[in-house]
């Protein structure tokens, strides 16, 4: 089955009761048993729920994995991965990580004895140097937010295999439409399905996808034991979102490319960050690792004052000034005052998050309206 068919049918079982084409929302906590322990595979909805199972099977299918697990949020999915490890274990991670993941690592799991090492994982020699006997996991995000740095998943997976370390990839930005980490050698794929997978800015949900049955077993155990599962309604909405993932992503990529072209010819624009530009330092890797360049675009203006950028973002009409990304509607974000405001100025500027940086989550509206909106805002 090809990807564009998998998004609609992958892992789905035909409903026998009434022939419903969409899996029903099984809004139930428990299931009747004919005699003690005799049931139809479902006993209690923390453990399993048929709507969640339909979503989990879809997730596995689109990521070319065997096992899918759905959680109440992206962060609770990461939380389950971290609980695989023991005090003293070391985890190496990208230094320009999603802020919430960083907070979970440093402010929650560090005190339980896990050690986190943050580094620029674009530099492969550096990665090999950081690996020790205690290293158990490398956690990668690619492309990164908001600087669009790219990490070579296949090269890192080779280092991991040599050292018997697990590799997890946060695939939220790229989605399996553009990048399939399991095919590239990763052991765990993680998603904030809140973003592109669900795609309509109406649900918070997280996912893990793996191939190894023993690893899947340990994660299902943690999912059921800690209980951060998503409800049937959210599972249904995400499953519905996935059915149009390929069509939406095609338009996200198309619109982003047109906007990048417009910005690259604009005299007030200074730097542009998008993996599809030939001058992007990892453009060659983007072409080999991804099948397109995505809908996230960051840029800086030449008059880079905090105030001038805030003025631009507040003039936008079609773009909504908001956090989050990946929905059908276009969003603009000023990282320095919004998503990355909690990071000290000197630290964030070192990674490129300067006051004049604007991040766009390009939606699927008509491209002419999007470009006119940016044009009138920048002036
Ligand atoms: C949003 C996001 C998360 C966290 O997911 P939630 O669904 O908000 O818990 C993790 N990683 C990335 C890259 C994200 O954008």
């Amino acid at each position: 089955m090809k990807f564009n068919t998998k998004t609609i049918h992958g892992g789905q079982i035909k409903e026998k009761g009434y022939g419903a084409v969409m899996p029903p929302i099984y809004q139930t906590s428990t299931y009747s048993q004919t005699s003690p322990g005799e049931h139809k595979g479902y006993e209690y909805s923390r453990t399993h729920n048929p709507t969640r199972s339909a979503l989990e099977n879809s997730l596995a299918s689109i990521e070319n994995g065997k096992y899918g697990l759905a959680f109440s949020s992206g962060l609770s999915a990461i939380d389950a991965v971290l609980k695989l490890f023991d005090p003293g274990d070391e985890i190496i991670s990208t230094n320009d990580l999603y802020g919430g993941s960083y907070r979970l690592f440093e402010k929650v799991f560090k005190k339980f004895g896990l050690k986190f090492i943050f580094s620029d994982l674009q530099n492969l020699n550096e990665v090999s140097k950081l690996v020790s006997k205690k290293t158990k996991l490398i956690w990668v995000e690619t492309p990164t937010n908001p600087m669009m740095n790219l990490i070579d998943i296949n090269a890192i997976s080779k280092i991991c295999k040599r050292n018997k370390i697990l590799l997890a990839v946060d695939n939220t930005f790229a989605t399996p439409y553009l990048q399939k980490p399991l095919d590239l050698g990763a052991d765990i794929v993680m998603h904030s399905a809140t973003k592109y997978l669900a795609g309509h800015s109406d649900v918070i949900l997280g996912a893990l996808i793996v191939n190894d049955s023993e690893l899947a077993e340990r994660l299902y155990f943690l999912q059921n034991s800690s209980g951060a599962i998503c409800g049937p309604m959210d599972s249904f909405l995400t499953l519905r979102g996935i059915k149009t993932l390929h069509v939406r992503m095609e338009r996200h990529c198309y619109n982003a490319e047109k906007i990048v072209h417009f910005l690259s010819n604009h005299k007030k624009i200074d730097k542009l960050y998008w993996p599809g530009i030939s001058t992007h330092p990892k453009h060659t890797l983007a072409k080999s690792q991804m099948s397109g360049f995505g809908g996230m675009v960051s840029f800086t203006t030449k008059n880079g004052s905090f105030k001038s950028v805030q003025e631009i973002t507040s003039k936008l009409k079609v773009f909504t000034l908001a956090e989050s990304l990946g929905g059908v509607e276009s969003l603009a974000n000023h990282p320095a005052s919004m998503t990355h405001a909690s990071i000290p100025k000197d630290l964030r500027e070192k990674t490129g998050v300067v006051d004049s940086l604007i991040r766009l989550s390009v939606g699927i509206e008509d491209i002419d309206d999007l470009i006119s909106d940016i044009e009138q805002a920048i002036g």
Side-chain angles (χ1 to χ4, degrees):
M1 209 185 269
K2 296 252 173 81
F3 184 80
N4 296 354
T5 312
K6 280 186 176 180
T7 54
I8 297 166
H9 299 291
Q12 300 308 296
I13 301 160
K14 291 226 173 351
E15 192 269 328
K16 291 194 189 82
Y18 298 99
V21 169
M22 273 302 280
I25 301 163
Y26 286 94
Q27 194 72 47
T28 185
S29 61
T30 189
Y31 307 81
S32 68
Q33 308 197 2
T34 41
S35 61
E38 261 187 53
H39 52 77
K40 298 191 166 78
Y42 293 89
E43 321 161 64
Y44 187 61
S45 281
R46 175 168 22 78
T47 318
H48 295 293
N49 172 282
T51 319
R52 196 174 90 224
S53 302
L55 170 64
E56 290 177 330
N57 293 337
S58 166
L59 289 164
S61 170
I62 59 174
E63 281 286 4
N64 290 349
K66 289 202 185 103
Y67 308 95
L69 298 96
F71 293 85
S72 57
S73 68
L75 285 176
S76 61
I78 304 176
D79 178 279
V81 173
L82 297 176
K83 285 173 180 158
L84 291 168
F85 305 104
D86 297 315
D89 288 349
E90 288 180 8
I91 293 161
I92 300 170
S93 165
T94 332
N95 59 0
D96 55 348
L97 201 60
Y98 172 73
S101 310
Y102 179 82
R103 184 176 56 200
L104 181 64
F105 289 6
E106 279 293 293
K107 300 270 162 78
V108 181
F109 277 92
K110 196 172 149 184
K111 73 168 186 236
F112 293 109
L114 293 185
K115 189 177 167 201
F116 297 93
I117 301 159
F118 300 94
S119 183
D120 178 5
L121 304 187
Q122 295 186 102
N123 180 348
L124 293 170
N125 291 333
E126 186 66 20
V127 181
S128 298
K129 272 191 232 152
L130 292 172
V131 170
S132 80
K133 282 205 171 67
K134 291 181 179 163
T135 312
K136 295 287 160 64
L137 173 76
I138 297 187
W139 184 275
V140 163
E141 215 178 288
T142 181
T144 63
N145 172 25
M147 298 314 297
M148 311 296 151
N149 290 322
L150 253 61
I151 288 158
D152 189 333
I153 298 172
N154 189 243
I156 299 223
S157 87
K158 285 180 182 145
I159 298 172
C160 286
K161 287 194 169 65
R162 261 204 309 280
N163 294 283
K164 298 195 165 50
I165 298 168
L166 291 175
L167 172 61
V169 177
D170 180 338
N171 205 28
T172 301
F173 265 42
T175 82
Y177 178 76
L178 300 175
Q179 171 173 286
K180 296 194 181 62
L182 294 177
D183 291 355
L184 295 165
D187 301 287
I188 302 171
V189 176
M190 173 262 156
H191 274 281
S192 169
T194 310
K195 317 293 167 54
Y196 286 106
L197 294 192
H200 294 73
S201 310
D202 53 8
V203 65
I204 301 280
L205 196 139
L208 297 176
I209 302 101
V210 301
N211 263 323
D212 182 74
S213 62
E214 197 191 320
L215 181 59
E217 206 56 52
R218 290 170 66 202
L219 289 168
Y220 282 124
F221 173 81
L222 288 165
Q223 183 194 37
N224 185 41
S225 302
S226 291
I229 46 103
C230 48
M233 182 69 193
D234 288 352
S235 301
F236 174 88
L237 285 172
T238 305
L239 186 65
R240 183 169 74 164
I242 289 173
K243 284 173 192 276
T244 55
L245 178 67
H246 52 297
V247 192
R248 287 184 286 110
M249 287 309 291
E250 196 181 321
R251 183 60 73 87
H252 282 299
C253 293
Y254 173 86
N255 281 354
E257 186 173 353
K258 296 280 179 198
I259 286 174
V260 164
H261 182 74
F262 169 78
L263 291 172
S264 67
N265 291 316
H266 199 292
K267 59 181 190 307
K268 288 193 182 167
I269 301 305
D270 188 16
K271 294 199 172 74
L272 255 174
Y273 302 95
W274 190 60
I277 314 172
S278 59
T279 52
H280 185 285
K282 297 282 175 188
H283 182 60
T284 315
L285 175 62
K287 281 197 290 187
S288 64
Q289 178 164 285
M290 303 169 75
S291 59
F293 307 112
M296 299 301 298
V297 177
S298 297
F299 64 94
T300 61
T301 55
K302 280 182 184 147
N303 168 15
S305 75
F306 199 86
K307 198 160 166 283
S308 78
V309 172
Q310 284 193 316
E311 263 169 35
I312 293 173
T313 49
S314 53
K315 275 191 203 148
L316 290 164
K317 293 191 178 77
V318 182
F319 279 83
T320 304
L321 188 61
E323 297 192 4
S324 198
L325 59 112
V328 290
E329 62 287 298
S330 291
L331 302 180
N333 170 31
H334 182 223
S337 63
M338 295 166 69
T339 44
H340 293 62
S342 61
I343 307 170
K345 188 174 157 92
D346 55 326
L347 214 75
R348 75 170 151 78
E349 292 203 331
K350 252 189 227 158
T351 62
V353 185
V354 293
D355 285 351
S356 66
L357 189 80
I358 295 174
R359 188 195 77 184
L360 303 177
S361 171
V362 179
I364 64 170
E365 300 94 337
D366 191 284
I367 186 61
D368 293 344
D369 291 329
L370 296 181
I371 288 179
S372 313
D373 195 34
I374 295 172
E375 198 167 19
Q376 64 80 23
I378 296 176

